[in-house]
């Protein structure tokens, strides 16, 4: 029978009560260190992973761990063990070990639950190999070249190679590479843009890099695109969660002829601080 998490906590405190009655001064557990999020490269899954958990208290705390809200039975688990309060996992499995972990420290006085810490596995698979259709546009027209998707997990960065490596597309007010989608946006196509474009995806966790099949950009011969008003193609969500002290990037880019000028303002009219750029 599987007992609820809170009931197990109560039973654990009762179990150790008899061992602690002779102590003089009691106080409940207080955190020294809570677990942090882990991102583990798939190619290193034979190594061990350690989730830290350390608390002080009188009597000394005991520890238990849960994965996705379910108590980990360390007595029946050969791959997971405790070292102090730390949970050590060996022979990592990207399917069984992924999820949200939480540590519980308890003694006869009380119990505390740590923050939830995620364990994820970073990987970057190759693009599916296929010939991409050429993209045909008029001079002066805006265009979006799609990076496509390769199966991945981890922090990704995107770049585009123009014709051949190492000639990368240089971003300016006319060309933009979204770090959200990987797509390449050209606000107004010029004859010098004609050529082959290859999307390059890099995973900062695994240090791996893959690239797409090339996409050819060619000019149509039935005239030049006239002027037209800006059309925003890259936008940001209504809400962007951010930790204090972190760096946040809001993306915005528009197609148009002439090349649109992009400016920013706060909806409430408050000026941007000097640290914004």
């Amino acid at each position: 029978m599987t007992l609820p998490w809170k009931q197990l906590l109560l039973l654990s405190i009762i179990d150790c009560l008899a061992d602690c009655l002779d102590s003089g001064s009691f106080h409940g557990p207080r955190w020294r260190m809570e677990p942090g999020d882990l991102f583990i490269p798939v190619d290193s899954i034979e190594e061990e992973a350690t989730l830290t958990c350390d608390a002080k208290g009188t009597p000394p705390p005991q520890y238990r761990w849960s994965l996705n809200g379910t108590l980990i039975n360390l007595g029946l688990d050969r791959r997971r063990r405790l070292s102090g309060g730390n949970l050590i996992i060996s022979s990592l499995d990207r399917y069984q070990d992924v999820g949200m972990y939480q540590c519980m420290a308890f003694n006869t006085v009380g119990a505390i639950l740590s923050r939830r810490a995620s364990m994820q596995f970073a990987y970057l698979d190759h693009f599916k190999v296929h010939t991409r259709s050429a993209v045909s546009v008029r001079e002066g027209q805006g265009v979006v070249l799609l990076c496509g998707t390769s199966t991945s997990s981890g922090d990704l960065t995107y770049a585009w190679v123009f014709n051949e490596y190492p000639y990368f597309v240089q971003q300016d007010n006319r060309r933009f590479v979204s770090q959200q989608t990987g797509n390449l946006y050209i606000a107004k196509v010029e004859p010098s843009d004609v050529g082959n474009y290859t999307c390059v995806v890099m995973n900062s966790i695994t240090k791996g890099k893959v690239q797409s099949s090339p996409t050819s950009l060619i000019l149509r011969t039935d005239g030049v695109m006239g002027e037209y008003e800006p059309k925003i193609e890259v936008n940001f969500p209504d809400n962007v969660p951010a930790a204090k002290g972190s760096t946040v990037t809001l993306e915005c880019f528009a197609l148009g002829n002439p090349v649109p000028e992009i400016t920013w303002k706060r909806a409430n009219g408050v000026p941007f601080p000097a640290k914004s750029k």
Side-chain angles (χ1 to χ4, degrees), residues 43-232:
D43 56 10
S44 66
I45 59 176
E46 294 303 319
E47 301 175 7
E48 291 184 339
T50 300
L51 289 157
T52 56
C53 184
D54 184 31
K56 60 182 179 179
T58 304
Q62 300 180 49
Y63 300 92
R64 295 198 178 192
W65 282 84
S66 67
L67 170 58
N68 298 325
T70 300
L71 181 71
I72 298 174
N73 189 339
L74 295 173
L76 300 177
D77 196 324
R78 296 182 179 180
R79 296 191 304 110
R80 300 184 178 104
R81 69 183 190 275
L82 281 183
S83 176
N86 296 342
L87 179 66
I88 300 177
I89 308 172
S90 58
S91 300
L92 294 168
D93 187 303
R94 64 187 280 190
Y95 302 106
Q96 295 184 28
D97 296 326
V98 66
M100 300 299 295
Y101 289 79
Q102 191 171 31
C103 176
M104 175 180 67
F106 61 93
N107 61 14
T108 54
V109 180
I112 51 177
L113 291 174
S114 72
R115 68 178 293 273
R116 290 179 175 86
S118 68
M119 180 182 292
Q120 301 181 63
F121 291 86
Y123 59 92
L124 180 61
D125 293 338
H126 290 279
F127 282 90
K128 293 181 179 179
V129 179
H130 69 278
T131 302
R132 297 193 172 194
S133 300
V135 177
S136 178
V137 295
R138 292 188 178 95
E139 180 182 347
Q141 185 178 351
V143 70
V144 180
L145 300 183
L146 304 181
C147 180
T149 55
S150 61
T151 307
S152 63
S153 175
D155 187 20
L156 304 181
T157 57
Y158 300 89
W160 283 77
V161 170
F162 179 53
N163 285 330
E164 61 182 14
Y165 185 84
Y167 299 105
F168 286 93
V169 173
Q170 300 301 310
Q171 298 186 74
D172 50 29
N173 65 336
R174 198 173 61 84
R175 293 168 295 190
F176 176 73
V177 177
S178 170
Q179 295 305 310
Q180 299 298 320
T181 64
N183 297 339
L184 169 62
Y185 300 82
I186 303 177
K188 176 189 174 185
V189 172
E190 298 177 354
S192 59
D193 296 320
V194 171
N196 294 318
Y197 292 82
T198 303
C199 181
V200 180
V201 186
M202 293 154 282
N203 191 315
S204 63
I205 305 296
T206 66
K207 309 303 180 185
K209 179 169 63 176
V210 296
Q211 63 184 42
S212 69
S213 301
T215 300
S216 296
L217 180 65
I218 59 178
L219 285 183
R220 292 171 56 171
T221 58
D222 56 351
V224 176
M225 187 75 172
E227 293 186 354
Y228 66 98
E229 63 184 14
K231 179 183 179 184
I232 293 179

